[in-house]
């Protein structure tokens, strides 16, 4: 008897390794049906992506009589925080505090459940933040540059009706529909890709203000979508940078009087925020932020820089003052937890990514440590019986830890073994941390084809002059040092390997194995009890 032909969805499930485990839930006949599912077919629509992510979570469910549901969910995203970044940040944090860095652990590394997240998007092997963040908050995968719209949309679709037809509802929007409180905290611009995917829908992540839109476009810019948010009673907390995208181009910035806003439509969205919501506040500096009373504030907008907030290492240099990521997280939780129906909160350490792009490991790692501090604060303020906390990254970077340095060797320093500097084939010292590409390129060694006759002499495999710099007298632990890069590029690039997911609280057991990134949405939805499959 001929076996039934596998469905397109079943083939998609097979492509991600889920078919066998999902089939096992339905019995032996269904199991046999998936034995020969093609492994080269991926979902071709938003509905298929959504279903694949949901089924991955269902396949991971345990048989247990009393599985708690989450009342609250907090999603922490270290933008660009790949595994090598976590490792190096762990070591740096320990060394900065006089501890064994290798034995040290960041706060979220102590969570009981971990998994790997596949970050490839619907059209990219190595992705940018827009589709990867979209995957986490919508349950589907989409294309490069897309903000919570499906993969069938044109990359530069200017029409509002077309965009609406391609829109995919986010976990924040679904939470607002259910009467929950919601918030987003970031150190990047609030209109930047990762925070924007929660509340906005656009084919182009760069349309942050109306002045960024093409002529004749009817789609709303990203900042405007925050103020015209149609679900529930709107976001309760919105904290980050990007003040200029909310201000008219006729108004002077309060911190930088010689600079003006970016909006061409004359709208002051900061003023509209306080006019729209009762018991609302808009703040732009540390003193105003500190004065906000969570018990009396129901809607808080904080925009602490014209563009991105400062790196953690540079916050002290801001005359007006900027709150730390941990401080913003604390304020957000205290406002959101007033809602008896629970809350959803995303917290992004957005500038880990920016420092990596600049080839500057120190600021990338210290911002990753700041994220760890924010997670620690969240753990102190919540109960693991009712709050699911996830920590992950949208993608990685081409950031490496190499050589054979001894344990305890400064992670930002030059590689040394038992105190003796290690040397490359040219007799020059090198750092433990480096990048595969980026602005730290310093010339590189001119190579020739490998000659087996000279393989006993490493230098004989090379030709040309010593174009690498001699780092002997260079302080590579200086916060401004740019690590060397192999390939010259104006900006270092993302990397395509899997990133980690760390989980604690109700539903954390679903975080295991290797998951497609869009499964993160389904884990959160399931923990909140939105998927009644138990």
């Amino acid at each position: 008897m001929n076996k039934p032909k596998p469905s397109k969805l079943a083939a998609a499930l097979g492509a991600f390794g889920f078919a066998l485990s999902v089939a096992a839930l339905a019995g032996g006949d269904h199991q046999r049906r998936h034995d020969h599912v093609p492994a080269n077919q991926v979902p071709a629509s938003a509905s298929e992506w959504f279903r694949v992510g949901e089924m991955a979570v269902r396949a991971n469910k345990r048989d247990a009589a009393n599985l708690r549901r989450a009342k609250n969910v907090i999603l922490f995203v270290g933008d660009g925080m790949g595994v090598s970044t976590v490792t190096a940040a762990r070591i740096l944090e320990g060394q900065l505090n006089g501890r064994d860095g290798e034995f040290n652990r960041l706060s979220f590394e102590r969570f009981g459940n971990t998994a790997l997240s596949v970050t490839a998007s619907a059209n990219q092997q190595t992705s940018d933040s827009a589709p990867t963040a979209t995957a986490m908050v919508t349950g589907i995968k989409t294309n490069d540059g897309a903000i919570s719209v499906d993969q069938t949309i044109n990359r530069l679709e200017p029409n509002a009706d077309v965009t609406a037809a391609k829109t995919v509802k986010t976990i924040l929007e679904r939470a607002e529909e259910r009467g929950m409180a919601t918030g987003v905290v970031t150190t990047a611009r609030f209109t930047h890709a990762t925070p924007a995917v929660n509340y906005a829908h656009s084919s182009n992540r760069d349309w942050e203000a109306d002045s960024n839109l093409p002529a004749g476009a009817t789609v709303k810019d990203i900042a405007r979508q925050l103020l015209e948010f149609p679900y529930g009673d709107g976001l309760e907390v919105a904290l980050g940078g990007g003040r200029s995208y909310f201000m008219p181009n006729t108004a002077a910035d309060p911190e930088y009087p010689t600079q003006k806003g970016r909006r061409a439509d004359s709208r002051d969205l900061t003023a509209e925020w306080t006019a729209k919501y009762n018991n609302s506040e808009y703040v732009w500096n540390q003193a105003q932020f500190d004065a906000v009373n969570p018990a009396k504030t129901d809607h808080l907008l904080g925009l602490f820089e014209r563009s991105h907030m400062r790196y953690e290492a540079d916050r002290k240099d801001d005359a007006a003052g900027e709150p730390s990521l941990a401080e913003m997280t604390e304020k957000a939780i205290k406002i959101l937890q007033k809602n008896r129906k629970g809350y959803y909160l995303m917290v992004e350490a957005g500038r880990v990514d920016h420092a990596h792009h600049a080839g500057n490991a120190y600021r990338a790692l210290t911002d990753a440590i700041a994220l760890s501090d924010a997670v620690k604060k969240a753990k102190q303020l919540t109960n693991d019986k009712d709050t699911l906390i996830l920590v992950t990254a949208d993608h990685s970077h081409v950031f490496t830890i190499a050589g054979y340095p001894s344990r305890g060797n400064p992670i930002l320093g030059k590689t040394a073994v038992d105190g003796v500097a290690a040397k490359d084939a040219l007799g020059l010292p090198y750092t433990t941390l480096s990048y595969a590409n980026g602005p730290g390129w310093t010339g590189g060694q001119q190579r020739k084809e490998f000659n087996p006759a000279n393989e006993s002499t490493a230098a004989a495999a090379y030709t040309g002059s010593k174009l690498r710099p001699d780092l002997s007298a260079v302080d590579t632990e200086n916060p401004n040092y740019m690590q060397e890069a192999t390939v010259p590029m104006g900006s270092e690039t993302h990397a395509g390997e899997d990133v980690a997911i760390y989980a604690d609280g109700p539903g954390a057991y679903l975080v295991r194995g290797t998951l497609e990134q869009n499964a993160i949405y389904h884990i959160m939805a399931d923990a909140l009890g939105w998927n009644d499959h138990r």
Side-chain angles (χ1 to χ4, degrees), residues 343-358:
Y343 61 83
Y344 161 79
L345 172 65
M346 175 191 275
V347 179
E348 183 205 21
R351 306 225 65 193
V352 175
D353 176 73
H354 301 157
H356 275 322
H357 281 308

Side-chain angles (χ1 to χ4, degrees), residues 186-417:
T186 180
T187 52
R189 293 193 298 269
F190 201 79
T191 50
H192 215 234
T194 303
V197 298
N198 289 279
Y199 63 88
H201 303 273
S202 177
S203 66
N204 190 340
R205 58 175 289 176
D206 296 328
W207 292 344
E208 298 180 57
D210 66 311
S211 58
N212 302 131
L213 292 170
T218 57
V219 67
K220 297 176 183 178
D221 64 85
I222 292 172
R224 178 181 169 188
Q225 290 187 55
L226 176 66
L227 270 294
E228 298 180 11
F229 187 79
Y231 299 97
D233 61 351
L235 280 72
E236 276 72 20
V237 176
L239 299 174
R243 188 167 58 231
S244 62
Y245 294 82
F246 292 79
M247 296 173 54
N249 56 17
T250 55
D253 186 89
E255 187 174 5
Y256 309 101
T258 61
Q259 301 184 59
K260 299 182 186 296
R262 297 175 184 269
R263 301 200 63 81
D265 58 7
S266 300
R267 294 176 65 173
D268 184 344
L269 301 184
T270 64
E272 290 185 29
W273 175 276
T274 53
K276 179 176 181 177
Y277 298 117
N278 294 325
N279 303 320
S280 63
E281 295 278 357
Y282 163 63
V283 298
W284 63 268
N285 60 44
Q286 181 80 55
Q288 293 174 346
F289 174 82
D290 291 342
V292 171
N293 184 343
K296 297 181 179 180
T297 304
D298 295 331
H299 293 269
L300 174 62
L301 173 64
L303 300 171
F304 303 103
E305 276 291 345
R306 281 179 49 78
S307 185
H308 304 300
M309 292 180 66
R310 299 206 181 200
Y311 291 109
E312 176 61 23
D314 304 319
R315 279 197 309 114
K316 63 183 183 301
D317 300 325
D318 190 320
E322 295 179 12
S324 68
L325 191 61
E327 290 172 332
M328 291 192 290
T329 299
E330 178 177 10
K331 190 82 74 175
I333 291 174
K334 288 182 175 179
I335 292 174
L336 299 177
Q337 66 186 7
K338 295 185 297 182
N339 189 316
R340 294 183 179 181
K341 293 184 178 180
Y343 61 83
Y344 161 79
L345 172 65
M346 175 191 275
V347 179
E348 183 205 21
R351 306 225 65 193
V352 175
D353 176 73
H354 301 157
H356 275 322
H357 281 308
N360 181 227
Y362 177 82
R363 285 178 174 79
L365 300 182
T366 48
D367 270 44
I369 294 170
L371 176 67
S372 175
D373 292 340
V375 175
K376 182 178 180 180
K377 177 59 67 176
K379 284 290 296 176
Q380 294 170 349
L381 296 172
T382 60
N383 190 323
D384 60 10
K385 292 183 179 180
D386 66 10
T387 303
L388 170 64
I389 298 179
L390 299 173
V391 183
T392 189
D394 45 358
H395 54 74
S396 185
H397 276 268
V398 292
F399 175 63
T400 63
I401 308 172
Y404 300 96
S406 297
R407 189 182 187 97
N409 195 67
I411 189 65
L412 292 167
K414 293 180 277 289
T415 296
V417 180

